[in-house]
Amino acid sequence: MVYYLQHNVALLSQISQQISFIAPQLSLPSTPPPPFPAFNPSASNIRINVFWFMALIFSLSAALLAVLVQQWVRDYMHVFQKYSDPLKSARLRQYVHEGCEGWYMPVVAEAVPGLLHVSLFLFFVGLCDTVLNINTAVGISTTVPVGITGLVYIFTTFAPIIFPDSPYQNSFSVLIWYLAQKLRVRRYKDRSSDGTVKPVSSNIAEGQMQLAMEETEERKGRDERGIRWLVDNLTEDAETDSFLATIPGSFNGEWGEEVWRKVFETSTCMPLVGPSRAEKVWDVFCSTVRVLGLSGTRATHSPTNATTLRVLPAPRPLLNVHLQPGTAPIQGEDVVRILSRPVAYTLDTWRHRGLSASDEVWRRRTRACVETTTSLVCLANANLDKFGDIVKLLGDIGNVEKTRESSLVGMDQPFVKRWTCLSLMAIRWFLLDGNEQTSYLAMVAARVLEGEDIANHGQALTGVQKINVTFDKAWGCLGELRSALCLEYAMHEEVKQTLRDYEYHISELEHINIEADDLKQLDEAIFDVQSDFDTISHGITSRLPGVRLDDFYTEPIHFTQFVSWWQDRDQYQFILPGQKLKSLCSLAIMLRKLLQGQWDPEAYKEMTKNLEATGSMNLLSGLCERQLWRLQDLQCSGFGFTVELFFLTLKQLLSTSSSKESRSALYICTFRNITSQRSWNNYPLPLATQNLLLHMVASNDSIFSSFDFPDYIKDELLALLQNVFEGQTGPHIDDAVQWLSRQLPPYWRVRSYRRREATFWAKTFVVLTRARAQSS
Amino acid sequence: MIGDFDSSSNALWTLYGKEAKSHDEARIQTLKKDMDGVLIFVRSYFVYSYNGLYHADPIAPIGWFIFRCPHPIHSRQ
């Protein structure tokens, strides 16, 4: 072009000269135009042109590549239309797909926008150069925004390397991530291989996945916010319903429980996002500065310190737990409210529906509701009242799901556990609300047990003492007979001889058998309490795992009935003493038959075996006394009764559960709920309740000496005892302390004595003596 | 061992095809959109620079340029 321009100028000057030849008379000024200045491109001109032409080339190649990629993609997608035969089509797809990956097609496609970015920045640089040469003011006002844009671009390139969750990335961050991961900059704990530390994948998307799944405290927070987000965004009732159905599944396992607890604990004014990224950037900045030694030793916030502090468990206020459970601030109230409303609604709608076991929907719904309610009550400290009367529902679902049977074989454990815990809490609050019928019946039964002449003689325990004497007598006879009759005596004559020697005992038993008929009234009274309680609790008590209800024996009464009761005697809270005596004494009837000459070696063998199974310790006499305590306890809201029930069921649940430590949170929550001070309507607790509690921890026949409960629940019980017996005195406490002190090892054997029970007894001893000391 | 699937395996491969199609389509849609974006960008860029070329002022001091971008300072009077 320049050439043409110069050529034009030359031609024009030539024409001008020719014209001056043709017409010389015209004295025209014949000064030739000044020569065209020689063109010397400056360095900046060359620079600018280099930048701009490169920019042009880059953008055009990006366009070319883009067109090509589109074409490849189109070809690739043709695979699916080309063949109708699925095998051919599938094979071709796999072939082409592997080619695609092998030849890094995704990388090429990723590079295309990168080319464009390069082109753009080349253009920018050229532009800045141009305008700076022409005018400083315009130049600066152009360069500054361009510089800022460049910085932003550089930030987006490196942001995902430093903060892998950053959404800001571009084509070059992928490359830099790849390089960084080749140098193994970032590592994570792998979940699948026992937490070994591995470098994060060199593919950025895969790396983000690995980091998102890494088991950390932050993930817990994210899970928690996820759930809260979900709760916030549920709008329709149908959605809420399906949400409810999914909740129970998410509670199985420790992680789920902890996350939910956090959901409930967190106040809703907290934002639904994690810690602000700006803070993170600031943290990174601060630590960089510190590393560079610029901030010296003044840095106060050290991330390592913070994590150590977080790892340390918060000190648990062991003894105050029971004092202020009701006043604990309930946070996350909205979540609880949002969840409890539909639960209550669902419970309400389904409660009045006719119960039919085949109704699968009803079953599933109710199960979900029960589990959700348990979790809400346990983890969120929600009030059971919010859900209305759930006792009937619990009874119904317990009946359908056969909770007792499942618990025996260890089936369906998560549900059984939650159902049991919720039932216990429901029973506690239900007893507390004052159901006059039960307490009236309990009163009647207690009167009978105490003996009618209580008013006349002012002697407590007369009835019980009478029964105890009878029990002792019967047990004594049984013991004599047991030691006399051994398996070795297989011959009829030998046995007969022995029996003749012990005829006194047999007739004694026969006598007791007749006496036992007098106890029928008492049996009926106790049976009434038991069955009435079961009826108003809608059958929950007969469904609770590990708890049995006593019943009248059908005639003829067998000794085996006594033996089977004897073996499971822990599981009965109510005992019909008359029935027990009668079944015990039925031994005498068998022996009398033998004596009279009806010899049956098989029956004899079985009888001696049963006799052996009864054990040698007389544990009968305490039973009636405890029964009296239970009845008295039930008259005043049944605190001790529920605690006993709790430990009975817990024993059953733990013995079938695979791991003893699992679900500890659920049990602890349940225990705290049923023993919370809200549920003591009078302080100090009635004597009977105190007696029940003391018996549980300090006696030969207690549930604690027959089963080793895990430490977490023992600690809870000790804390409860501390609260209950603070400042209490009385012979019953003295007795318990004495019993405990007998269990303690002599001081010279303390070191070698490591039985777990002994530790528990020692702790109980300390708690009780300390409580006693406080009163004086 | 040489052999092949018989026709009874078709169900499996149909499933494969379905899965692969949905998988590939998702990826390819994003790819296509990216490429469209690039093309649109380049087109506007090119039109702009072509206009610059067309309006190039041959007598300007930097007339050596063939390719120029219009700028308020350089626009033809």
Side-chain angles (χ1 to χ4, degrees):
Chain A
M1 201 171 202
V2 174
Y3 167 78
Y4 288 120
L5 284 173
Q6 286 183 350
H7 195 71
N8 284 347
V9 172
L11 276 176
L12 281 171
S13 67
Q14 201 183 346
I15 291 166
S16 157
Q17 276 175 8
Q18 282 167 355
I19 289 171
S20 66
F21 273 121
I22 294 163
Q25 67 277 25
L26 287 170
S27 60
L28 283 169
S30 65
T31 44
F36 199 85
F39 183 74
N40 279 323
S42 66
S44 92
N45 282 349
I46 292 172
R47 248 190 351 257
I48 292 161
N49 279 280
V50 167
F51 284 134
W52 278 357
F53 277 106
M54 275 178 74
L56 182 67
I57 300 303
F58 269 101
S59 67
L60 288 181
S61 11
L64 176 67
L65 271 175
V67 172
L68 282 178
V69 167
Q70 278 192 332
Q71 199 181 335
W72 297 334
V73 160
R74 231 187 350 263
D75 289 347
Y76 181 86
M77 286 311 279
H78 270 167
V79 168
F80 295 105
Q81 285 128 35
K82 237 182 250 174
Y83 298 100
S84 57
D85 180 13
L87 181 58
K88 263 187 190 168
S89 152
R91 279 195 175 141
L92 183 61
R93 187 262 167 185
Q94 189 64 26
Y95 191 70
V96 174
H97 177 73
E98 281 174 16
C100 246
E101 300 290 322
W103 286 93
Y104 300 109
M105 217 257 283
V107 179
V108 173
E110 190 72 37
V112 174
L115 278 180
L116 206 60
H117 300 165
V118 172
S119 147
L120 194 70
F121 277 102
L122 283 170
F123 172 72
F124 275 161
V125 174
L127 188 67
C128 292
D129 204 346
T130 317
V131 284
L132 276 174
N133 281 335
I134 293 167
N135 183 309
T136 320
V138 180
I140 287 171
S141 58
T142 314
T143 313
V144 170
V146 166
I148 292 169
T149 318
L151 285 178
V152 168
Y153 191 79
I154 290 169
F155 171 74
T156 62
T157 311
F158 287 95
I161 317 298
I162 306 165
F163 314 105
D165 60 343
S166 148
Y168 308 120
Q169 31 175 296
N170 57 45
S171 311
F172 294 99
S173 7
V174 178
L175 180 71
I176 291 173
W177 175 277
Y178 178 83
L179 292 176
Q181 281 324 121
K182 282 288 157 194
L183 297 171
R184 304 177 172 228
V185 170
R186 196 173 284 277
R187 287 151 192 282
Y188 77 109
K189 258 197 196 137
D190 190 20
R191 202 162 153 244
S192 52
S193 59
D194 326 323
T196 44
V197 180
K198 284 183 176 177
V200 174
S201 161
S202 55
N203 180 334
I204 191 164
E206 210 171 293
Q208 280 181 331
M209 181 59 176
Q210 286 163 345
L211 290 171
M213 289 301 287
E214 191 183 10
E215 197 174 328
T216 55
E217 273 302 303
E218 282 138 46
R219 188 180 75 172
K220 197 177 284 172
R222 286 197 300 272
D223 288 359
E224 174 233 319
R225 288 187 291 274
I227 291 174
R228 279 201 295 143
W229 179 87
L230 185 61
V231 173
D232 275 359
N233 283 277
L234 289 174
T235 44
E236 291 164 34
D237 276 352
E239 277 178 350
T240 319
D241 268 358
S242 48
F243 175 59
L244 282 184
T246 59
I247 293 178
S250 63
F251 273 107
N252 297 341
E254 237 165 83
W255 180 267
E257 239 164 53
E258 277 174 44
V259 169
W260 273 102
R261 190 189 300 279
K262 272 188 91 169
V263 170
F264 297 134
E265 274 169 5
T266 323
S267 142
T268 36
C269 52
M270 292 273 283
L272 273 173
V273 290
S276 142
R277 294 304 178 270
E279 283 168 31
K280 271 171 110 181
V281 174
W282 179 245
D283 273 359
V284 170
F285 176 72
C286 287
S287 53
T288 322
V289 169
R290 214 175 311 125
V291 167
L292 292 175
L294 291 179
S295 79
T297 50
R298 288 200 327 163
T300 48
H301 172 74
S302 153
T304 42
N305 280 351
T307 32
T308 339
L309 280 179
R310 229 174 287 136
V311 167
L312 283 175
R316 192 158 64 94
L318 180 73
L319 301 177
N320 295 333
V321 165
H322 298 277
L323 294 176
Q324 312 151 324
T327 54
I330 301 172
Q331 286 177 328
E333 262 173 354
D334 285 357
V335 180
V336 178
R337 207 191 56 238
I338 290 172
L339 285 181
S340 55
R341 213 180 330 116
V343 170
Y345 172 76
T346 318
L347 286 174
D348 204 51
T349 14
W350 292 94
R351 190 179 300 129
H352 305 298
R353 241 185 103 100
L355 169 65
S356 63
S358 62
D359 198 340
E360 192 61 30
V361 182
W362 178 85
R363 214 186 115 232
R364 236 181 309 125
R365 275 269 184 102
T366 315
R367 278 179 66 117
C369 279
V370 166
E371 300 199 33
T372 313
T373 314
T374 317
S375 316
L376 281 173
V377 172
C378 270
L379 301 179
N381 211 1
N383 226 331
L384 255 186
D385 319 341
K386 280 186 189 166
F387 305 101
D389 173 30
I390 55 172
V391 178
K392 180 179 185 314
L393 195 84
L394 280 169
D396 287 349
I397 189 76
N399 197 22
V400 173
E401 295 290 334
K402 310 247 174 305
T403 41
R404 233 181 82 79
E405 288 78 358
S406 318
S407 76
L408 289 179
V409 288
M411 262 168 51
D412 197 11
Q413 286 204 11
F415 173 73
V416 172
K417 280 169 185 164
R418 294 202 187 106
W419 179 85
T420 310
C421 288
L422 189 62
S423 299
L424 285 170
M425 292 187 264
I427 286 180
R428 180 79 208 100
W429 294 104
F430 162 75
L431 279 174
L432 203 62
D433 278 349
N435 43 330
E436 284 129 21
Q437 205 179 352
T438 311
S439 60
Y440 173 73
L441 281 170
M443 190 188 70
V444 170
R447 281 272 165 76
V448 176
L449 202 56
E450 281 164 8
E452 288 101 14
D453 49 355
I454 183 166
N456 301 336
H457 298 89
Q459 284 174 321
L461 298 184
T462 347
V464 176
Q465 275 165 354
K466 233 191 268 171
I467 297 169
N468 274 349
V469 168
T470 325
F471 264 138
D472 280 346
K473 224 193 275 173
W475 189 261
C477 296
L478 190 74
E480 292 287 335
L481 287 169
R482 190 190 313 113
S483 53
L485 297 168
C486 296
L487 271 174
E488 286 100 70
Y489 293 139
M491 293 309 293
H492 184 205
E493 281 312 310
E494 284 171 308
V495 175
K496 219 170 176 179
Q497 186 53 45
T498 324
L499 286 179
R500 232 174 263 128
D501 295 345
Y502 283 87
E503 201 183 346
Y504 167 74
H505 295 102
I506 296 174
S507 52
E508 188 78 45
L509 279 179
E510 283 170 332
H511 186 65
I512 294 171
N513 193 15
I514 297 162
E515 255 179 40
D517 285 336
D518 296 346
L519 292 171
K520 192 147 191 188
Q521 196 196 350
L522 174 65
D523 280 5
E524 271 165 5
I526 292 172
F527 185 77
D528 278 350
V529 177
Q530 178 187 285
S531 58
D532 177 61
F533 189 52
D534 195 43
T535 319
I536 21 183
S537 71
H538 296 281
I540 290 183
T541 40
S542 53
R543 288 275 148 222
L544 278 175
V547 180
R548 283 168 193 253
L549 302 184
D550 207 358
D551 203 356
F552 279 102
Y553 295 137
T554 46
E555 301 280 345
I557 296 169
H558 280 296
F559 184 59
T560 44
Q561 286 166 331
F562 177 76
V563 175
S564 63
W565 168 80
W566 171 260
Q567 279 159 353
D568 292 330
R569 65 188 180 283
D570 280 350
Q571 303 190 344
Y572 293 88
Q573 279 192 299
F574 292 107
I575 309 138
L576 311 182
Q579 293 293 303
K580 295 286 110 39
L581 275 175
K582 280 184 93 71
S583 60
L584 196 157
C585 295
S586 62
L587 179 72
I589 299 165
M590 280 171 75
L591 292 176
R592 178 67 67 191
K593 272 183 193 163
L594 282 182
L595 206 57
Q596 285 164 357
Q598 297 176 15
W599 177 247
D600 180 358
E602 283 303 310
Y604 175 71
K605 220 181 215 170
E606 189 157 345
M607 186 195 71
T608 43
K609 216 163 78 192
N610 283 333
L611 208 51
E612 291 289 321
T614 51
S616 56
M617 247 202 305
N618 180 11
L619 302 170
L620 274 179
S621 52
L623 286 176
C624 272
E625 212 165 4
R626 250 174 286 152
Q627 174 123 301
L628 177 62
W629 295 337
R630 274 182 207 127
L631 291 169
Q632 287 168 342
D633 181 59
L634 271 179
Q635 285 177 53
C636 25
S637 85
F639 180 86
F641 183 82
T642 337
V643 174
E644 262 198 337
L645 212 55
F646 173 79
F647 281 103
L648 284 178
T649 51
L650 184 63
K651 180 181 169 185
Q652 176 65 35
L653 290 178
L654 288 176
S655 57
T656 47
S657 140
S658 46
S659 132
K660 283 199 172 181
E661 290 303 317
S662 69
R663 304 259 144 230
S664 57
L666 186 60
Y667 298 139
I668 291 176
C669 290
T670 311
F671 187 76
R672 287 187 187 172
N673 186 296
I674 61 177
T675 60
S676 63
Q677 211 178 29
R678 271 186 299 169
S679 74
W680 311 7
N681 48 0
N682 41 5
Y683 181 84
L685 288 175
L687 192 65
T689 312
Q690 292 188 18
N691 272 326
L692 270 183
L693 290 176
L694 283 179
H695 169 80
M696 213 157 47
V697 290
S699 83
N700 290 324
D701 202 15
S702 73
I703 191 163
F704 271 86
S705 31
S706 64
F707 186 78
D708 187 20
F709 283 97
D711 284 338
Y712 58 80
I713 206 72
K714 281 181 182 165
D715 290 345
E716 291 293 323
L717 181 65
L718 287 176
L720 173 71
L721 288 178
Q722 169 112 5
N723 285 328
V724 169
F725 291 104
E726 203 173 337
Q728 297 293 307
T729 45
H732 57 296
I733 302 179
D734 296 341
D735 285 350
V737 169
Q738 224 168 25
W739 185 88
L740 285 167
S741 65
R742 278 204 302 277
Q743 307 307 311
L744 295 180
Y747 66 91
W748 66 85
R749 278 168 58 201
V750 164
R751 272 155 200 264
S752 59
Y753 205 78
R754 289 246 168 88
R755 279 180 59 200
R756 285 166 65 91
E757 289 93 343
T759 344
F760 175 64
W761 283 327
K763 279 186 191 164
T764 320
F765 181 76
V766 171
V767 166
L768 287 183
T769 42
R770 197 186 294 156
R772 205 166 49 161
Q774 274 168 1
S775 66
S776 56
Chain B
M1 177 90 192
I2 294 178
D4 202 357
F5 287 107
D6 57 13
S7 59
S8 53
S9 71
N10 274 356
L12 172 73
W13 295 113
T14 316
L15 184 68
Y16 174 94
K18 229 167 75 185
E19 280 298 306
K21 198 169 179 183
S22 69
H23 175 254
D24 288 352
E25 246 165 21
R27 271 181 76 175
I28 272 160
Q29 277 311 317
T30 54
L31 212 66
K32 262 189 178 165
K33 270 183 196 147
D34 280 0
M35 295 305 121
D36 283 344
V38 168
L39 285 178
I40 289 167
F41 195 91
V42 171
R43 197 179 58 189
S44 59
Y45 191 72
F46 191 76
V47 166
Y48 212 48
S49 40
Y50 186 79
N51 282 345
L53 186 65
Y54 184 75
H55 293 297
D57 185 351
I59 314 174
I62 46 171
W64 190 61
F65 287 119
I66 292 172
F67 166 64
R68 293 186 38 202
C69 206
H71 193 274
I73 298 174
H74 283 276
S75 64
R76 221 158 62 144
Q77 300 301 312

